[in-house]
Amino acid sequence: VNWVRGEDVVGYRDRFGWKLGDLVHSTPVVVGPPKGFRFDENFLSFRQSWKNRESVVYVGSNDGMLHAFNADTGAEMWSYIPRRVLGKLEMLADPAYCHQNYVDLSPKAFDTKVNGQWKTVLVCGLRTGGDSYFAIDITDPYSPNLLWETSVPSLTTSFTDPVIIETQWGTVLWSGSGPNSNGRAYASLLRVDNGNILLSYQLGTASAGTNAATAPTPYDLDQDGIADLVFQGDLTGRVWRWDISDP
């Protein structure tokens, strides 16, 4: 445990002074006070309540953690280790360690309603480090709250960052994955409030060969803040059009 937290421990892999694991595909995101406009009068009160919130930098790392750093001082505030990588942590300290990915996807943060209350939520995944996504309530960055962590069996590899979409079913996390161990690609939808899987749909046929999905692009036809269409491509040359206007 001490080695994972950044300390050198006799008998384990030499850290050579490095306390933080490598950042490869995870791009940091800076989260400050809530901004923007929503079609909800309560959002203004939420935005006003947190107008002086400190800016925090969030980033995934291949030391098995999502890290939160104070944007002004650079000091680490806290970190989160997803359940799906706990079993691999011991490999990091092995002197014969060969690089693996852990929390290697870029985190995304957004304001949304959770159980009727406005919250700032951060979602992140593991890319090739595992098959799960997780969501953390970071409304108060000094008191984070894990909302859920969900394993998506079809999501053995996910090279696209999750996209947050407002839909008729509420706020969803929409992702693209592939190729999995069988060369397949999937579109996956998870509810942001509880992590329940709404859809895991294979893109293309089994005979299409190795496939991977792009990130989805939502489109709001009537500008009411709710997406009506979603477009998503894959490596077989298809562009998928999803009509989600009718719940």
Side-chain angles (χ1 to χ4, degrees), residues 174-198:
W174 192 310
S175 72
S177 68
N180 65 7
S181 58
N182 295 317
R184 310 290 181 255
Y186 287 81
S188 300
L189 278 73
L190 284 71
R191 286 181 59 114
V192 165
D193 57 354
N194 57 26
N196 288 347
I197 301 173
L198 296 175

Side-chain angles (χ1 to χ4, degrees), residues 92-114:
L92 288 166
D94 189 332
Y97 170 72
C98 183
H99 186 271
Q100 294 190 38
N101 291 329
Y102 285 76
V103 187
D104 199 34
L105 202 64
S106 299
K108 301 292 181 182
F110 53 96
D111 300 315
T112 188
K113 275 190 171 182
V114 177

Side-chain angles (χ1 to χ4, degrees), residues 9-230:
V9 179
V10 175
Y12 293 104
R13 182 162 63 96
D14 194 336
R15 301 190 70 99
F16 295 103
W18 294 99
K19 294 184 178 298
L20 184 66
D22 58 281
L23 313 180
V24 180
H25 297 102
S26 183
T27 301
V29 61
V30 180
V31 181
K35 297 179 180 179
F37 171 79
R38 299 292 189 278
F39 291 92
D40 188 322
E41 60 184 13
N42 294 324
F43 180 75
L44 182 60
S45 299
F46 167 75
R47 194 176 67 179
Q48 185 69 17
S49 297
W50 295 100
K51 65 179 181 179
N52 295 318
R53 184 169 63 192
E54 293 184 33
S55 293
V56 177
V57 179
Y58 300 93
V59 65
S61 172
N62 289 316
D63 56 14
M65 307 180 206
L66 172 85
H67 295 275
F69 300 98
N70 185 290
D72 293 323
T73 67
E76 184 170 25
M77 300 167 60
W78 51 267
S79 61
Y80 171 67
I81 301 176
R83 292 193 309 269
R84 298 298 287 182
V85 303
L86 282 173
K88 301 197 299 180
L89 284 183
E90 63 179 353
M91 300 179 185
L92 288 166
D94 189 332
Y97 170 72
C98 183
H99 186 271
Q100 294 190 38
N101 291 329
Y102 285 76
V103 187
D104 199 34
L105 202 64
S106 299
K108 301 292 181 182
F110 53 96
D111 300 315
T112 188
K113 275 190 171 182
V114 177
N115 297 324
Q117 301 294 319
W118 280 100
K119 302 286 185 180
T120 301
V121 177
L122 179 142
V123 296
C124 192
L126 310 181
R127 201 170 185 267
T128 58
D131 64 359
S132 70
Y133 281 106
F134 57 89
I136 301 175
D137 176 0
I138 56 168
T139 306
D140 182 350
Y142 286 94
S143 184
N145 178 43
L146 177 67
L147 296 176
W148 50 265
E149 181 177 345
T150 298
S151 172
V152 186
S154 62
L155 222 161
T156 52
T157 54
S158 177
F159 294 100
T160 62
D161 294 337
V163 175
I164 306 305
I165 302 177
E166 296 292 341
T167 73
Q168 301 284 352
W169 314 293
T171 308
V172 303
L173 180 160
W174 192 310
S175 72
S177 68
N180 65 7
S181 58
N182 295 317
R184 310 290 181 255
Y186 287 81
S188 300
L189 278 73
L190 284 71
R191 286 181 59 114
V192 165
D193 57 354
N194 57 26
N196 288 347
I197 301 173
L198 296 175
L199 175 70
S200 184
Y201 184 82
Q202 180 178 314
L203 303 181
T205 62
S207 61
T210 301
N211 197 9
T214 68
T217 299
Y219 184 67
D220 182 3
L221 287 170
D222 50 10
Q223 301 299 306
D224 63 350
I226 304 297
D228 300 293
L229 301 172
V230 175

Side-chain angles (χ1 to χ4, degrees), residues 224-246:
D224 63 350
I226 304 297
D228 300 293
L229 301 172
V230 175
F231 297 90
Q232 191 168 17
D234 67 26
L235 291 186
T236 67
R238 293 179 173 90
V239 175
W240 299 79
R241 177 184 181 272
W242 308 82
D243 186 343
I244 59 172
S245 59
D246 185 356

